[in-house]
Amino acid sequence: MAMIKGIGLLILFLIAFSLFSFKAPKGMKAMGGMAEAAVAAFLVEAVHKYVSGDLLNLTFLGKVGEASGSMGGVAAAILVPLSMGVNPTYAVVAGVACAGYGILPGFIAGYVVGLFGEKLKEKLPLGFDVIVGALLIAPVARFIAFGVDPFVTGALQYIGGAVTVAATQSPILMGFILGGVICVIGTSPLSSMALTAMLGLDGLAMGIAAIACVGAAFTNGMTVKNLKLGDKSNVIGIMLEPLTQADIVTSNALPIYGVGFFGGAAAGVGAAILGIINNAPGTASVIPGLLAPFGFNPPMKVIAAIVIAAISGTIVGIIGTSLLKKGKNNTELSK
């Protein structure tokens, strides 16, 4: 029941965000802004706080990571309206006003500012637009973040807690399901970094998500290479950051998502068996997923998980693309 509740709540959350991305005005642009905010805040936090700071004892870099990780709401409230085409000054005003709030309250405030920011500029006289607009946007953004924070934070903590409990009680099964789901999200317009940060995943669940992203990188690389969906630069790009290859992913969604799911699932099972712990929420991406677990586990255990993820991800990519090619050839022959 814990697993059913955890996965069920996660899927409902993903459906809601998918509907927002495709149906809300400028929803896709707003989600792109939140993905960039996750990189700006949580990628820096993952590497410098937990690896450079905690693991390597580089105090200055640890402080850099800690400061960056605390600014997720600010980054979202700035980058979301910027992605929607709002005046940069308005975006920064909204972001600064959201200091102290998490990435989702910042995202909601930034999205609202993104919707009315340009209209506000059109209504105000030239010369007064920046000053008056800033004075209006700051309290509006702060009020929105303040108003939604108790509800969204409580809901996200509940979902994240359910997923974490499910991973603890059914590690191998959750390794397969959560590993696959996280990797599909990471390849889609949604951000796996933003998702895991919003849910506050930690422990084994976050360890599964991080290592699964590493495994899926090899699966995605093999998929693009073997199906000849791009050149070497595209292969490297989708391995390091799938969002940089959005055009290829969108045009070949079924093979990339399908094969990628099993690549992430295989790596997630490996992480679950080894018991990889990761207490750095928001590190569900290739580079932070590769580095952050070193801050919470014996190095040899993490290396073993990475090797398993790389090998299993590559094997899944080879087998998956071979089956796709065979199916395509059989279809063409039958015609």
Side-chain angles (χ1 to χ4, degrees), residues 116-134:
F116 77 82
E118 285 304 301
K119 295 180 180 179
L120 180 64
K121 183 179 178 180
E122 293 172 1
K123 298 291 183 181
L124 295 173
L126 185 63
F128 288 93
D129 54 339
V130 173
I131 297 173
V132 177

Side-chain angles (χ1 to χ4, degrees), residues 247-262:
D247 54 339
I248 291 177
V249 173
T250 303
S251 303
N252 305 275
L254 187 59
I256 291 176
Y257 290 161
V259 180
F261 176 90
F262 289 101

Side-chain angles (χ1 to χ4, degrees), residues 13-37:
F13 182 75
L14 294 177
I15 290 173
F17 261 87
S18 297
L19 289 173
F20 173 86
S21 299
F22 292 106
K23 299 298 183 182
K26 298 185 179 181
M28 195 66 74
K29 291 182 178 180
M31 291 302 299
M34 186 165 69
E36 293 171 357

Side-chain angles (χ1 to χ4, degrees), residues 25-66:
K26 298 185 179 181
M28 195 66 74
K29 291 182 178 180
M31 291 302 299
M34 186 165 69
E36 293 171 357
V39 172
F42 303 125
L43 174 60
V44 177
E45 179 189 35
V47 175
H48 286 314
K49 180 180 178 181
Y50 299 108
V51 180
S52 302
D54 294 349
L55 185 62
L56 302 179
N57 293 318
L58 300 175
T59 305
F60 174 76
L61 292 179
K63 293 293 184 182
V64 170
E66 185 177 353

Side-chain angles (χ1 to χ4, degrees), residues 28-199:
M28 195 66 74
K29 291 182 178 180
M31 291 302 299
M34 186 165 69
E36 293 171 357
V39 172
F42 303 125
L43 174 60
V44 177
E45 179 189 35
V47 175
H48 286 314
K49 180 180 178 181
Y50 299 108
V51 180
S52 302
D54 294 349
L55 185 62
L56 302 179
N57 293 318
L58 300 175
T59 305
F60 174 76
L61 292 179
K63 293 293 184 182
V64 170
E66 185 177 353
S68 299
S70 67
M71 300 291 280
V74 174
I78 292 174
L79 289 170
V80 168
L82 273 181
S83 299
M84 297 170 69
V86 168
N87 184 312
T89 302
Y90 290 177
V92 175
V93 166
V96 171
C98 290
Y101 288 101
I103 189 171
L104 189 53
F107 166 78
I108 295 171
Y111 179 68
V112 174
V113 171
L115 289 178
F116 77 82
E118 285 304 301
K119 295 180 180 179
L120 180 64
K121 183 179 178 180
E122 293 172 1
K123 298 291 183 181
L124 295 173
L126 185 63
F128 288 93
D129 54 339
V130 173
I131 297 173
V132 177
L135 293 175
L136 288 174
I137 285 173
V140 169
R142 184 78 180 182
F143 180 76
I144 293 170
F146 168 79
V148 302
D149 182 61
F151 303 101
V152 298
T153 301
L156 292 175
Q157 287 178 346
Y158 183 78
I159 297 172
V163 173
T164 300
V165 169
T168 303
Q169 294 187 359
S170 306
I172 295 178
L173 188 55
M174 282 297 291
F176 182 87
I177 297 173
L178 183 60
V181 169
I182 287 292
C183 292
V184 171
I185 295 166
T187 314
S188 73
L190 301 175
S191 168
S192 53
M193 290 183 68
L195 173 69
T196 52
M198 287 189 292
L199 295 179

